[in-house]
Amino acid sequence: MAKILIIATGGTITSVESKSGLRPNDGNVILNALKTMDSSSSFEMINLFTLDSSNIQPEEWKLIAKAVYDNQTMYDGIIITHGTDTMAYSSSMLCFMLQNPLIPIVFTGSQLPISNELTDAFQNLRYSLAMAKSKIRGIFLAFNRKIMLGCRAVKVRTSSFHAFESINLRYVAQIDSRGLTINQNLIPKFTDSSILNTSIETNIFLLKMTPTTDPHIIDLLIDYGIKGIVIEAYGAGGISFMRRNFVDSLQKAINKNVPICVCSQCLYEEANFNIYEVGKKVLDIGVIEALDMTTEACVTKLMWVLGQTNDMALIKKYFKTSIMGEIREEN
């Protein structure tokens, strides 16, 4: 008999109607649903908090990570129910805070409350349960018959049931007429020693480049005391140096030991700043390439890395190293 823990955090899946709109409720309805689905497994629940995921922030990430770490030796799998809007940030951060998980840890949620007769909640719970019982170690996100690594998932649709995609990595598992089919080659390799490290630096900033972005914003961020900056650049890696010249401002930041990590605004394929002059100029001054990481993984990884060190050489080394599958091994 599989022993499964549900960690409920709120989100649409538990929400009920209120005068102010949908409001998250406790996870007891999820526990009852899972018991009805699978009488051959045993279930226990922790109602960790009851929040819309827009209100889930670093303080809650630490609570989730600790709850998983403290309970992973007592269960065969853990399901974390979570609102969809920031679930990719939470699942990415857990990949860094909790390395070498001992059991399957599966995030899931829904686009409609479980009380809605057309809800996708029951199906997503079934998929997450199948992965939680798989004995495949890792941190995953289950949605719409697809299982993806937690640090590769991105919410790409606001209301459709196929809300999440796995970016730059195939789904690690899918559910179809054959059941749960797992691609073992895509699962990260783990040691036997599980590590909890929730030390992070939250004072970072994400900047999306536009043709009118003023490079003086970098100076303002430095003056404000920002400790790290993630930039979503154009295409394979482009940042303007004509008229609105970012090179000098980014150089000032790097000189003050503020790491600049740059990813692409494009969802798919990796950033490569060696192709164009607009990329090489910023690469030459010491920006850090995010390679094929998602924005969510890049942001959370920078937070976590800065929680470990402020040595620029070590920061760059961390970003070239795959911790939980957030970048391709060959990178």
Side-chain angles (χ1 to χ4, degrees):
M1 175 180 284
K3 190 176 181 182
I4 305 297
L5 175 66
I6 304 102
I7 298 176
T9 69
T12 296
I13 193 168
T14 66
S15 285
V16 295
E17 292 285 354
S18 75
K19 292 180 180 179
S20 302
L22 287 174
R23 175 180 54 78
N25 205 347
D26 66 49
N28 292 331
V29 65
I30 295 169
L31 179 61
N32 294 334
L34 285 166
K35 286 180 176 179
T36 301
M37 286 178 198
D38 185 0
S39 59
S40 65
S41 298
S42 67
F43 298 95
E44 294 180 15
M45 167 166 282
I46 295 175
N47 276 300
L48 195 60
F49 37 82
T50 306
L51 292 172
D52 186 295
S53 71
S54 296
N55 284 321
I56 291 181
Q57 298 168 34
E59 294 79 4
E60 285 73 37
W61 291 338
K62 293 182 179 184
L63 294 175
I64 293 171
K66 188 173 189 307
V68 172
Y69 180 79
D70 289 346
N71 286 281
Q72 63 179 338
T73 59
M74 298 181 284
Y75 296 91
D76 297 300
I78 295 176
I79 297 171
I80 302 169
T81 57
H82 193 291
T84 59
D85 287 347
T86 65
M87 183 153 55
Y89 282 98
S90 295
S91 63
S92 292
M93 182 56 91
L94 192 62
C95 289
F96 305 123
M97 286 185 170
L98 180 62
Q99 295 170 33
N100 302 314
L102 302 177
I103 58 174
I105 314 297
V106 190
F107 282 82
T108 199
S110 66
Q111 293 286 68
L112 283 173
I114 198 169
S115 58
N116 189 298
E117 63 181 6
L118 300 177
T119 187
D120 55 329
F122 294 105
Q123 294 300 319
N124 288 337
L125 287 171
R126 286 190 180 94
Y127 311 146
S128 59
L129 177 58
M131 195 64 194
K133 293 171 64 176
S134 71
K135 299 183 180 180
I136 302 297
R137 297 169 62 187
I139 294 168
F140 308 103
L141 191 151
F143 221 86
N144 194 47
R145 299 185 183 276
K146 308 295 192 298
I147 313 294
M148 53 206 86
L149 289 185
C151 54
R152 289 289 189 167
V154 174
K155 187 177 183 183
V156 298
R157 299 176 184 89
T158 61
S159 55
S160 300
F161 286 167
H162 56 308
F164 286 85
E165 295 289 350
S166 180
I167 304 302
N168 293 329
L169 188 75
R170 287 174 293 152
Y171 300 116
V172 296
Q174 297 191 59
I175 295 94
D176 55 25
S177 61
R178 298 168 295 175
L180 178 69
T181 303
I182 298 172
N183 190 336
Q184 294 277 4
N185 293 330
L186 301 179
I187 307 295
K189 303 296 187 293
F190 301 116
T191 68
D192 291 333
S193 178
S194 187
I195 301 167
L196 177 69
N197 184 339
T198 61
S199 177
I200 60 174
E201 170 58 66
T202 61
N203 195 17
I204 73 163
F205 191 85
L206 170 63
L207 175 66
K208 185 184 182 83
M209 288 291 299
T210 74
T212 62
T213 304
D214 189 329
H216 289 107
I217 192 171
I218 303 296
D219 303 318
L220 293 174
L221 292 172
I222 296 170
D223 291 342
Y224 182 74
I226 289 292
K227 303 300 183 185
I229 300 171
V230 175
I231 297 179
E232 282 192 352
Y234 307 119
I239 292 178
S240 62
F241 63 82
M242 286 180 54
R243 200 169 299 111
R244 294 170 178 83
N245 182 3
F246 270 83
V247 177
D248 291 344
S249 292
L250 295 179
Q251 181 72 76
K252 288 179 189 176
I254 293 167
N255 289 345
K256 292 187 177 182
N257 209 49
V258 177
I260 309 293
C261 188
V262 188
C263 57
S264 175
Q265 294 180 14
C266 301
L267 273 176
Y268 293 98
E269 302 173 348
E270 72 178 14
N272 185 342
F273 284 73
N274 281 300
I275 299 176
Y276 298 100
E277 182 183 18
V278 289
K280 286 184 66 66
K281 278 185 176 292
V282 292
L283 194 60
D284 289 344
I285 65 171
V287 303
I288 302 167
E289 291 181 282
L291 303 172
D292 63 328
M293 267 190 286
T294 68
T295 296
E296 290 86 342
C298 187
V299 167
T300 53
K301 186 171 185 176
L302 183 58
M303 288 183 186
W304 186 84
V305 169
L306 285 174
Q308 318 312 308
T309 181
N310 59 7
D311 182 282
M312 194 67 77
L314 285 177
I315 293 168
K316 290 181 177 180
K317 183 178 180 180
Y318 270 119
F319 268 86
K320 290 181 180 178
T321 303
S322 179
I323 294 175
M324 287 279 281
E326 72 281 3
I327 58 173
R328 281 195 291 268
E329 293 291 345
E330 60 264 33
N331 286 324

